[in-house]
Amino acid sequence: PRLLAQFFFADERVTRVVAEINGLDAELDPQQYLVLLNQLHLSQAHLLAILERIMEECIPTQRHSRDYLVKFPEELLVDNLGNHMLFAAECLLAGTFLEVEEADGAQLRPQARNLLCSLELVRTVLREQSLSQPGSYPEPVRALLVQFDRLFAEFELSYVSSLVAVKSPEEIYRQQEIIVLFCETVQRALHLGYLTQEMIDGYEPLLMFTIPRLAIISGLLIYPEGPLSLERSPEQMSRVFSPFHNLLKKIRDLLRVLSAEELCLLERSLCTAE
């Protein structure tokens, strides 16, 4: 049950698969090579998962910040992202640029080298620790884990930044503004009786249409300095709304001529119309 014991056997598995790959002629037996490559990815993912648990147990307050993950596109935030980063580092060190431009890859290679060297050192030290004192983590071991965690996070951010345009702090702030607008819209709709708590608790499908519609009215009339502020240029608005800058102006002008009763009637109709 000890994590270091689990690490030892997971590490043995990775070492064994690597030895099999190195002893195989991929050109003579390409199918077996692909089988072993898949086994390597699975065994490395298992090893990284155990290492992650060890770091959470050993250095929970010294982990490198992962706040940068909010900048990544959602499709990249998958369970095997860490294993993908390790594979990318190995490819870069071997001079293979699968996903990045050659110039970017050349800049990333030193980081990849440092990361893989750090991982090898961590593997060696943890193997020795698992055989001598499997229930403790001396300070030198902790220091190596802190270093590996930092190098991994730095490489992950640099590599993904070379693949896709990560969100800027301004974009993240604009998204947060939209979240606040939607929350305020829901609270106002509950207060005015447009929606019920039961609809929200029951994930009423109609809400997917109702809340955005009400949020546009709230953003234009009730909270005009929020994310729908038309005093901003389209470039200063969230990408969600910037393409509709002129349309939003027309909607705002129409809403301004409505009386309070007409606005209430409009909002209620938006809660029921398909």
Side-chain angles (χ1 to χ4, degrees), residues 25-70:
D25 189 328
E27 293 184 359
L28 294 178
D29 196 347
Q31 186 171 358
Q32 179 62 16
Y33 175 76
L34 292 177
V35 170
L36 290 175
L37 196 61
N38 183 60
Q39 290 180 7
L40 177 61
H41 290 163
L42 293 175
S43 59
Q44 284 180 330
H46 182 53
L47 182 72
L48 285 178
I50 296 175
L51 183 55
E52 176 71 21
R53 291 168 59 195
I54 288 175
M55 290 191 290
E56 282 298 313
E57 180 181 274
C58 180
I59 54 169
T61 61
Q62 298 171 278
R63 299 295 304 272
H64 194 83
S65 173
R66 287 333 194 255
D67 289 347
Y68 59 81
L69 290 174
V70 301

Coordinates of all heavy atoms in Angstrom, one line a residue, residues 25-70:
D25 N 13.9 -4.4 -33.4 CA 14.1 -3.8 -34.7 C 12.7 -3.3 -35.2 O 12.0 -4.2 -35.7 CB 14.8 -4.7 -35.7 CG 15.3 -4.0 -37.0 OD1 14.6 -3.0 -37.4 OD2 16.3 -4.4 -37.6
A26 N 12.4 -2.0 -35.1 CA 11.1 -1.6 -35.5 C 10.8 -1.8 -37.0 O 9.6 -2.0 -37.3 CB 11.0 -0.1 -35.2
E27 N 11.8 -1.8 -37.8 CA 11.6 -2.0 -39.3 C 11.2 -3.5 -39.5 O 10.4 -3.7 -40.4 CB 12.8 -1.6 -40.1 CG 13.1 -0.1 -40.0 CD 14.3 0.2 -40.9 OE1 14.9 -0.7 -41.5 OE2 14.6 1.4 -41.0
L28 N 11.7 -4.4 -38.8 CA 11.4 -5.8 -39.0 C 10.1 -6.2 -38.4 O 9.4 -7.1 -38.9 CB 12.5 -6.7 -38.4 CG 13.9 -6.6 -39.1 CD1 14.9 -7.5 -38.4 CD2 13.8 -7.0 -40.6
D29 N 9.7 -5.5 -37.3 CA 8.5 -5.9 -36.6 C 7.7 -4.6 -36.2 O 7.7 -4.3 -35.0 CB 8.8 -6.8 -35.4 CG 7.5 -7.5 -34.9 OD1 6.4 -7.1 -35.3 OD2 7.7 -8.4 -34.1
P30 N 7.2 -3.9 -37.2 CA 6.6 -2.6 -36.8 C 5.3 -2.7 -35.9 O 5.1 -1.9 -35.1 CB 6.2 -2.0 -38.2 CG 6.1 -3.2 -39.1 CD 7.2 -4.1 -38.6
Q31 N 4.6 -3.8 -36.1 CA 3.4 -4.0 -35.3 C 3.7 -4.2 -33.8 O 3.1 -3.6 -33.0 CB 2.6 -5.3 -35.8 CG 1.3 -5.4 -35.1 CD 0.4 -6.5 -35.8 OE1 0.8 -7.1 -36.8 NE2 -0.7 -6.8 -35.2
Q32 N 4.8 -5.0 -33.5 CA 5.2 -5.2 -32.2 C 5.7 -3.9 -31.6 O 5.5 -3.6 -30.4 CB 6.2 -6.3 -32.1 CG 6.8 -6.6 -30.7 CD 5.7 -7.1 -29.7 OE1 4.6 -7.5 -30.2 NE2 6.0 -7.1 -28.4
Y33 N 6.4 -3.2 -32.4 CA 6.9 -1.9 -32.0 C 5.8 -1.0 -31.5 O 5.9 -0.3 -30.4 CB 7.7 -1.2 -33.1 CG 8.2 0.2 -32.7 CD1 9.3 0.4 -31.9 CD2 7.5 1.3 -33.2 CE1 9.7 1.7 -31.5 CE2 8.0 2.6 -32.9 CZ 9.1 2.8 -32.1 OH 9.5 4.0 -31.7
L34 N 4.7 -0.9 -32.3 CA 3.5 -0.1 -31.9 C 2.9 -0.6 -30.6 O 2.4 0.2 -29.8 CB 2.5 -0.1 -33.0 CG 2.9 0.7 -34.3 CD1 1.9 0.5 -35.4 CD2 3.2 2.1 -34.0
V35 N 2.9 -1.9 -30.4 CA 2.3 -2.5 -29.2 C 3.1 -2.1 -28.0 O 2.6 -1.7 -27.0 CB 2.3 -4.0 -29.3 CG1 1.9 -4.7 -28.0 CG2 1.2 -4.5 -30.3
L36 N 4.4 -2.2 -28.1 CA 5.3 -1.8 -27.0 C 5.3 -0.3 -26.8 O 5.3 0.1 -25.6 CB 6.8 -2.2 -27.4 CG 7.1 -3.7 -27.3 CD1 8.5 -4.0 -27.8 CD2 6.8 -4.3 -25.9
L37 N 5.1 0.5 -27.8 CA 5.0 2.0 -27.7 C 3.8 2.3 -26.9 O 3.8 3.2 -26.0 CB 5.0 2.6 -29.0 CG 5.3 4.2 -29.0 CD1 6.7 4.5 -28.5 CD2 5.2 4.7 -30.4
N38 N 2.7 1.6 -27.2 CA 1.5 1.9 -26.4 C 1.6 1.4 -25.0 O 1.2 2.1 -24.0 CB 0.3 1.1 -27.1 CG -1.0 1.3 -26.4 OD1 -1.5 2.5 -26.3 ND2 -1.6 0.3 -25.8
Q39 N 2.3 0.3 -24.7 CA 2.6 -0.1 -23.4 C 3.4 0.9 -22.6 O 3.2 1.1 -21.4 CB 3.3 -1.5 -23.4 CG 2.4 -2.6 -23.8 CD 3.1 -4.0 -23.8 OE1 4.2 -4.1 -23.4 NE2 2.5 -5.0 -24.4
L40 N 4.4 1.5 -23.3 CA 5.2 2.5 -22.7 C 4.4 3.7 -22.3 O 4.6 4.2 -21.2 CB 6.3 2.9 -23.7 CG 7.3 4.0 -23.2 CD1 8.0 3.6 -21.9 CD2 8.3 4.4 -24.3
H41 N 3.5 4.2 -23.1 CA 2.7 5.3 -22.8 C 1.8 5.0 -21.6 O 1.7 5.8 -20.7 CB 1.8 5.7 -24.0 CG 2.6 6.3 -25.1 ND1 2.1 6.4 -26.4 CD2 3.8 6.8 -25.2 CE1 3.0 7.0 -27.2 NE2 4.1 7.2 -26.5
L42 N 1.2 3.8 -21.5 CA 0.4 3.4 -20.4 C 1.2 3.3 -19.1 O 0.8 3.8 -18.1 CB -0.3 2.1 -20.7 CG -1.4 2.1 -21.8 CD1 -1.9 0.7 -22.1 CD2 -2.5 3.1 -21.5
S43 N 2.4 2.7 -19.2 CA 3.2 2.5 -18.0 C 3.7 3.9 -17.5 O 3.8 4.1 -16.3 CB 4.3 1.5 -18.3 OG 5.2 2.0 -19.3
Q44 N 4.1 4.8 -18.4 CA 4.6 6.1 -18.0 C 3.4 6.9 -17.4 O 3.7 7.6 -16.4 CB 5.1 6.9 -19.2 CG 6.5 6.4 -19.7 CD 7.0 7.2 -20.9 OE1 6.2 7.6 -21.7 NE2 8.3 7.3 -21.0
A45 N 2.2 6.8 -17.9 CA 1.1 7.5 -17.3 C 0.9 7.0 -15.9 O 0.6 7.8 -15.0 CB -0.1 7.3 -18.2
H46 N 1.0 5.7 -15.7 CA 0.8 5.1 -14.4 C 1.9 5.6 -13.4 O 1.6 6.0 -12.3 CB 0.8 3.6 -14.5 CG 0.6 2.9 -13.2 ND1 -0.5 3.2 -12.3 CD2 1.3 1.9 -12.5 CE1 -0.4 2.4 -11.3 NE2 0.7 1.7 -11.3
L47 N 3.1 5.7 -13.9 CA 4.2 6.1 -13.1 C 4.0 7.6 -12.7 O 4.2 8.0 -11.6 CB 5.5 6.0 -13.9 CG 6.8 6.4 -13.2 CD1 7.2 5.4 -12.1 CD2 8.0 6.5 -14.2
L48 N 3.6 8.4 -13.7 CA 3.4 9.8 -13.4 C 2.2 10.0 -12.4 O 2.3 10.9 -11.6 CB 3.1 10.6 -14.7 CG 4.3 10.9 -15.6 CD1 3.8 11.6 -16.9 CD2 5.4 11.7 -14.9
A49 N 1.2 9.2 -12.5 CA 0.1 9.3 -11.6 C 0.5 9.0 -10.1 O 0.1 9.7 -9.2 CB -1.0 8.3 -12.0
I50 N 1.4 8.0 -10.0 CA 1.9 7.7 -8.6 C 2.8 8.8 -8.2 O 2.8 9.2 -7.0 CB 2.6 6.3 -8.7 CG1 1.7 5.2 -9.0 CG2 3.3 6.1 -7.3 CD1 2.3 3.9 -9.1
L51 N 3.7 9.3 -9.1 CA 4.5 10.4 -8.7 C 3.7 11.7 -8.3 O 4.1 12.4 -7.3 CB 5.5 10.8 -9.9 CG 6.5 11.8 -9.7 CD1 7.4 11.5 -8.5 CD2 7.4 12.0 -10.9
E52 N 2.6 11.9 -8.9 CA 1.8 13.0 -8.6 C 1.2 12.8 -7.1 O 1.2 13.8 -6.3 CB 0.6 13.1 -9.5 CG -0.4 14.2 -9.2 CD 0.1 15.6 -9.4 OE1 1.1 15.8 -10.2 OE2 -0.5 16.5 -8.8
R53 N 0.9 11.6 -6.8 CA 0.4 11.3 -5.4 C 1.5 11.5 -4.4 O 1.3 11.9 -3.3 CB -0.2 9.9 -5.4 CG -1.5 9.8 -6.2 CD -1.9 8.3 -6.4 NE -2.1 7.7 -5.1 CZ -2.2 6.3 -4.9 NH1 -2.0 5.5 -5.9 NH2 -2.4 5.8 -3.7
I54 N 2.7 11.1 -4.8 CA 3.8 11.2 -3.9 C 4.1 12.7 -3.6 O 4.3 13.1 -2.4 CB 5.1 10.5 -4.5 CG1 4.9 9.0 -4.4 CG2 6.3 11.0 -3.7 CD1 6.1 8.3 -5.1
M55 N 4.0 13.5 -4.6 CA 4.3 15.0 -4.4 C 3.2 15.6 -3.6 O 3.4 16.5 -2.8 CB 4.4 15.7 -5.8 CG 5.7 15.3 -6.5 SD 6.0 16.4 -8.0 CE 4.7 15.8 -9.1
E56 N 1.9 15.1 -3.8 CA 0.8 15.7 -2.9 C 1.0 15.3 -1.5 O 0.7 16.0 -0.6 CB -0.5 15.1 -3.5 CG -1.0 15.8 -4.7 CD -1.3 17.3 -4.4 OE1 -1.9 17.6 -3.4 OE2 -0.8 18.1 -5.2
E57 N 1.6 14.1 -1.3 CA 1.9 13.6 0.1 C 3.1 14.3 0.7 O 3.2 14.6 1.9 CB 2.0 12.1 0.1 CG 2.3 11.5 1.5 CD 2.4 10.0 1.4 OE1 1.4 9.3 1.5 OE2 3.6 9.5 1.3
C58 N 4.1 14.4 -0.1 CA 5.4 14.8 0.4 C 5.6 16.3 0.4 O 6.2 16.9 1.4 CB 6.5 14.2 -0.5 SG 8.2 14.5 0.0
I59 N 5.2 17.1 -0.7 CA 5.5 18.5 -0.8 C 4.2 19.3 -1.1 O 4.1 20.1 -2.0 CB 6.5 18.8 -1.8 CG1 6.1 18.2 -3.2 CG2 7.9 18.3 -1.4 CD1 7.0 18.6 -4.3
P60 N 3.1 19.0 -0.3 CA 1.8 19.6 -0.7 C 1.8 21.2 -0.7 O 1.1 21.8 -1.5 CB 0.8 19.1 0.3 CG 1.7 18.7 1.5 CD 3.0 18.3 0.9
T61 N 2.6 21.8 0.1 CA 2.6 23.2 0.2 C 3.7 23.9 -0.6 O 3.8 25.1 -0.7 CB 2.8 23.7 1.7 OG1 4.1 23.2 2.2 CG2 1.7 23.2 2.6
Q62 N 4.5 23.0 -1.3 CA 5.6 23.5 -2.1 C 5.4 23.3 -3.6 O 6.3 23.5 -4.4 CB 6.9 22.9 -1.6 CG 7.3 23.2 -0.2 CD 8.5 22.4 0.3 OE1 8.4 21.2 0.6 NE2 9.7 23.0 0.2
R63 N 4.2 22.8 -4.0 CA 3.9 22.6 -5.4 C 4.0 23.9 -6.2 O 3.5 24.9 -5.7 CB 2.5 21.9 -5.5 CG 2.3 20.6 -4.9 CD 3.2 19.5 -5.4 NE 3.1 19.4 -6.9 CZ 2.2 18.6 -7.4 NH1 1.4 17.8 -6.7 NH2 2.1 18.4 -8.8
H64 N 4.5 23.8 -7.4 CA 4.5 24.9 -8.3 C 3.1 25.2 -8.7 O 2.2 24.4 -9.0 CB 5.3 24.6 -9.5 CG 5.7 25.8 -10.3 ND1 6.7 26.6 -10.0 CD2 5.1 26.3 -11.4 CE1 6.8 27.6 -10.9 NE2 5.8 27.5 -11.8
S65 N 2.7 26.5 -8.8 CA 1.4 27.0 -9.2 C 1.0 26.4 -10.5 O 1.8 26.5 -11.5 CB 1.3 28.5 -9.1 OG 0.1 28.9 -9.6
R66 N -0.2 26.0 -10.6 CA -0.8 25.6 -11.9 C -1.9 26.5 -12.4 O -2.8 26.1 -13.1 CB -1.4 24.1 -11.8 CG -0.5 22.9 -11.8 CD 0.9 23.1 -12.4 NE 1.6 21.8 -12.5 CZ 2.6 21.4 -11.8 NH1 3.0 22.1 -10.8 NH2 3.2 20.2 -12.1
D67 N -1.9 27.7 -11.9 CA -2.9 28.7 -12.3 C -2.9 29.0 -13.7 O -3.9 29.4 -14.3 CB -2.6 30.0 -11.5 CG -2.9 30.0 -10.0 OD1 -3.6 29.0 -9.6 OD2 -2.5 30.9 -9.3
Y68 N -1.8 28.7 -14.4 CA -1.7 29.0 -15.9 C -2.7 28.1 -16.7 O -3.0 28.3 -17.8 CB -0.3 28.8 -16.4 CG 0.3 27.4 -16.1 CD1 0.0 26.3 -17.0 CD2 1.1 27.2 -15.1 CE1 0.5 25.1 -16.7 CE2 1.7 25.9 -14.8 CZ 1.3 24.9 -15.7 OH 1.8 23.6 -15.5
L69 N -3.2 27.0 -16.0 CA -4.1 26.1 -16.7 C -5.3 26.8 -17.2 O -6.0 26.3 -18.2 CB -4.4 24.9 -15.8 CG -3.2 23.9 -15.6 CD1 -3.7 22.8 -14.6 CD2 -2.8 23.2 -16.9
V70 N -5.8 27.8 -16.5 CA -7.0 28.5 -16.9 C -6.8 29.2 -18.3 O -7.8 29.6 -18.9 CB -7.4 29.6 -15.9 CG1 -7.7 28.9 -14.5 CG2 -6.4 30.7 -15.7

